[in-house]
Amino acid sequence: DIQMTQSPSSLSASVGDRVTITCRASQNIRSYLNWYQQKPGKAPKLLIYVATSLQRGVPGRFSGRGSGTDFTLTISSLQPEDFATYHCQQTYRTPRTFGQGTKVEI
Amino acid sequence: EVQLVESGGGLVQPGRSLRLSCVGSGFKFEEHVMHWVRQVPGKGLEWVAHITWNSGIVDYADSVKGRFTISRDNAKNSLYLQMNSLRREDTALYYCAKDRDYYDNSATFDYWGQGTLVTVSS
């Protein structure tokens, strides 16, 4: 199975900060990488697919970069509603595996 | 508005069975691959199974292969997960999720249900 490793596991930030989360795959997954946001008690929400494409309705402050094994999710100016856990997921090979999550806290 | 509503979770003893259901609305259910994804509370996400739009192909995570069966009824806009020989490690919140693509299995989940909790304990 392809292992997905996110860093950091958690981070503290303030409203207005620029925040970057990293996801590393254990092998080349080309651009088959998605990002999800999950708030407490809620289902995950798709933010970014195929590494850089913004899902419809997602604010433009979210962006994704990378290919191969190294990927990033950036929030350009953190808003109060962005405090959540973020998960990366590879869709290159079955089983489609997720990272362990990164919790963004105040 | 797309909605997915799961049901069927609960407390069950190890070795017993449980059947989860998910009803979709607000989209053409028959045009999409559907998935089950689970999450141990406070932990990460694990893809469990998927089924193609016409039930022609199903696939499972190794952790559930041979014990779980995914199925669907397009006439009822419904997805199912039959879980047999349940183990304590199957305890999780089970989500059904819609594939973003039409007819293809991209495993990109653009809509999720609210989840149904399965607790396996004696």
Side-chain angles (χ1 to χ4, degrees):
Chain A
D1 297 1
I2 298 174
Q3 306 302 316
M4 306 300 294
T5 303
Q6 290 181 233
S7 60
S9 295
S10 65
L11 65 90
S12 295
S14 301
V15 173
D17 284 353
R18 181 181 181 88
V19 170
T20 297
I21 299 167
T22 297
C23 180
R24 175 164 289 173
S26 60
Q27 64 185 78
N28 186 347
I29 59 170
R30 296 168 60 185
S31 294
Y32 292 96
L33 191 283
N34 299 331
W35 290 99
Y36 299 87
Q37 175 194 65
Q38 186 176 27
K39 296 181 180 180
K42 300 293 187 182
K45 171 188 173 183
L46 178 65
L47 297 177
I48 303 277
Y49 59 100
V50 290
T52 62
S53 296
L54 198 65
Q55 172 68 357
R56 185 171 53 245
V58 174
R61 63 181 178 273
F62 290 92
S63 63
R65 295 188 66 180
S67 66
T69 60
D70 294 315
F71 302 84
T72 58
L73 171 70
T74 297
I75 309 171
S76 61
S77 178
L78 199 65
Q79 299 301 299
E81 61 268 29
D82 301 336
F83 291 94
T85 298
Y86 294 85
H87 305 271
C88 65
Q89 176 213 12
Q90 65 82 17
T91 62
Y92 181 68
R93 184 162 290 158
T94 298
R96 274 59 180 253
T97 45
F98 292 84
Q100 81 282 11
T102 295
K103 187 173 184 179
V104 176
E105 302 174 291
I106 298 174
Chain B
E1 179 193 5
V2 172
Q3 282 197 320
L4 295 167
V5 180
E6 302 98 335
S7 61
L11 174 63
V12 60
Q13 293 179 327
R16 303 299 290 265
S17 299
L18 208 58
R19 188 194 196 207
L20 307 183
S21 300
C22 170
V23 177
S25 60
F27 67 103
K28 292 186 177 180
F29 186 84
E30 66 274 15
E31 292 183 348
H32 294 272
V33 173
M34 295 296 294
H35 304 259
W36 288 100
V37 179
R38 68 185 181 183
Q39 183 175 35
V40 175
K43 302 294 185 181
L45 297 158
E46 179 187 19
W47 169 81
V48 172
H50 86 257
I51 184 167
T52 53
W53 63 276
N54 61 354
S55 303
I57 297 174
V58 298
D59 196 15
Y60 302 92
D62 285 346
S63 57
V64 307
K65 200 169 290 185
R67 301 186 298 121
F68 289 12
T69 301
I70 189 172
S71 62
R72 66 191 293 163
D73 184 341
N74 287 341
K76 296 181 179 179
N77 288 351
S78 293
L79 176 72
Y80 306 102
L81 186 67
Q82 178 66 43
M83 304 186 294
N84 298 333
S85 303
L86 281 161
R87 304 168 180 169
R88 286 183 173 81
E89 55 265 36
D90 295 319
T91 294
L93 188 62
Y94 284 74
Y95 294 103
C96 71
K98 169 186 166 291
D99 201 287
R100 187 180 184 277
D101 284 7
Y102 290 91
Y103 300 109
D104 195 16
N105 180 21
S106 70
T108 295
F109 314 129
D110 62 347
Y111 288 93
W112 302 59
Q114 83 288 351
T116 187
L117 182 62
V118 173
T119 303
V120 183
S121 174
S122 53

